[in-house]
Amino acid sequence: MTDALTTWAGSHTFRGGPLVHPTSVTEVAELVAGAQHVRAIGSRHSFHDLADSPGTLVALDRLEVPTVVDPDARTVTVGAGVRYGELARDLHAAGWALHTMASLPHIAVAGTVATATHGSGDASPNLSAVVRGLEVVGAGGEVRVLGPDDPELAASVVGLGALGVVTRVTFAIQPTYDVAQEVWLDLPWDVALGRFDAIMGSAYSVSLFTDWTGDAVGQVWRKHRVDAGTLGDDAVLAGARPAEGPVHPVPGQDPAACTQQGGVPGPWHERLPHFRLEFTPSAGAELQSEWLVPRAHAVAAIEALRGLSDQVSPLLMISEIRSIAGDDLWLSTAHGGDRVGLHFTWQPRRAEVEAVLPVIEAALAPFDARPHWGKLFAGPGAGRTWQDLYPRWDDARALIERCDPAGVFANDYLRRVGLH
Ligand SMILES: Cc1cc2nc3c(=O)[nH]c(=O)nc-3n(C[C@H](O)[C@H](O)[C@H](O)COP(=O)(O)OP(=O)(O)OC[C@H]3O[C@@H](n4cnc5c(N)ncnc54)[C@H](O)[C@@H]3O)c2cc1C
């Protein structure tokens, strides 16, 4: 008997099957053409049934697609199942880079951009925002190529798997660069909130880690681009102290899993993620949620969450606050303007976590909080509709209906949110 297929965290057991690993785009097209229900899965780092299907599950990890850099266009085209860590290593070796990375390099490119996955940085949009092209196998098995000027590209990148099986992704790239990462401890909350914009802007990428208790933010991670010149303004972190050695954001976890700290410069892909490719990221047995609020509401939203610490902190491993530049992708959590991400790594106490999600969503509802598509959420928030949160929601729904009228790629998740 084979083990049941689960998400990376074990938080969902897939109902669909069989699991197939096509090696060519032609094979993917034949599979989709002959299937009543089918869905692509990535590296399964989402936490719920987003990637599930009542039918065949298609993993793209064995797709034989070469990685092609176009130096003139400044793009790289890569197979859908390639993990960011592998893509980044190859890009750096060839003298190129991406603008950002998520906290972990273990995730596959097509699954990552399908959910608007992001890192942190005032000037850094999410990973989906630099997609310049997609090759997609549609519901009838037809292979479509969406280039940078195709009006459907902005609708399709954050596609939640609803528009087809992506087989190739093209990303914008830039010349490689070095980053130095430093960690500060115990930043007083009044400084963190009083100077929020200055702190989040004090490095290329800034993350605040907190459990929402006490008078101070536990850790501030700052990642400086070496080519930007200075290591940044330390005075802005008044009251905090530099960490004396490596730290892990989750209390009790081994910092050996984390990327190099201490201000030592190194390649972008070995500093921008928090976790190293060869180690288990984060904690492993965990759940996650995240809501993204407009930058202008960040401080008020954080204050609302601090007011919930009695209910939230006992279930928490750690929270992370990040900034993400806006984009124009229809279902991106940063559609229409800059956002701040309020993330929760939960202990694996599913029922208790699910009970607190609506409480958080009610507290964040006044701030137009959009839940991360790949993490646990209850809904669009108290008194809110998805249309309130996403101006192109009805257009996205209409496009899904037109591209997949028979619901080949539909699943329970899409029906729950009303996209199918
Ligand atoms: C430890 C950990 C750390 C994380 N850190 C971050 C972070 O820093 N920032 C952040 O924003 N998120 C983060 N996440 C969330 C994660 O990035 C997202 O859930 C992301 O979608 C995972 O990519 P995946 O390949 O595992 O996708 P999956 O979970 O496998 O799939 C996600 C969606 O993509 C679709 N999909 C996958 N492949 C294809 C394809 N080829 N064609 C069409 N659709 C496809 C699936 O059908 C599904 O709808 C983290 C998750 C974990 C477990």
Side-chain angles (χ1 to χ4, degrees), residues 8-9 39-47 50-52 60 80-81 101-104 107-119 160-162 164-167 275 281-282 286 288 290 320 322 372 374-375 411:
W8 170 84
R39 190 164 251 267
I41 60 169
S43 53
R44 291 178 280 115
H45 281 77
S46 297
F47 285 86
L50 172 61
D52 211 343
L60 287 305
M101 294 279 281
S103 68
L104 76 175
I107 46 182
V109 295
T112 295
V113 302
T115 61
T117 290
H118 60 87
L160 307 175
V165 178
V166 172
T167 43
F275 304 111
S282 195
E286 65 189 63
Q288 295 185 10
E290 186 171 24
E320 181 178 7
R322 288 179 278 186
H372 191 303
K375 305 180 184 180
N411 65 7

Side-chain angles (χ1 to χ4, degrees), residues 101-104 118-121 181 189 200 205-212 217 219-221 223 249-250 272-275 282 288-291 302 305 316-324 340-345 375:
M101 294 279 281
S103 68
L104 76 175
H118 60 87
S120 188
Q181 169 168 251
W189 266 115
M200 297 310 282
S205 169
V206 178
S207 290
L208 309 181
F209 288 97
T210 177
D211 65 5
W212 305 106
V217 173
Q219 297 177 11
V220 181
W221 289 41
K223 301 171 195 251
V250 179
L272 291 180
H274 302 328
F275 304 111
S282 195
Q288 295 185 10
S289 304
E290 186 171 24
W291 288 269
I302 291 168
L305 291 176
L316 199 63
M317 290 190 186
I318 200 66
S319 270
E320 181 178 7
I321 299 170
R322 288 179 278 186
S323 64
I324 304 99
V340 164
L342 306 166
H343 164 89
F344 300 77
T345 299
K375 305 180 184 180

Side-chain angles (χ1 to χ4, degrees), residues 7 18 62 67 101 112 123 202 217 222 230 288 310 341:
T7 51
R62 297 184 202 159
T67 296
M101 294 279 281
T112 295
S202 70
V217 173
R222 298 203 302 177
T230 70
Q288 295 185 10
D310 286 355

Side-chain angles (χ1 to χ4, degrees), residues 318-378:
I318 200 66
S319 270
E320 181 178 7
I321 299 170
R322 288 179 278 186
S323 64
I324 304 99
D327 61 58
D328 63 356
L329 306 176
W330 291 10
L331 294 181
S332 167
T333 43
H335 177 96
D338 300 347
R339 295 248 154 185
V340 164
L342 306 166
H343 164 89
F344 300 77
T345 299
W346 302 108
Q347 298 166 31
R349 294 158 64 179
R350 184 70 174 251
E352 293 161 277
V353 168
E354 283 186 345
V356 88
L357 299 179
V359 178
I360 295 175
E361 287 173 358
L364 294 180
F367 309 117
D368 287 334
R370 294 174 177 153
H372 191 303
W373 295 117
K375 305 180 184 180
L376 300 181
F377 60 91

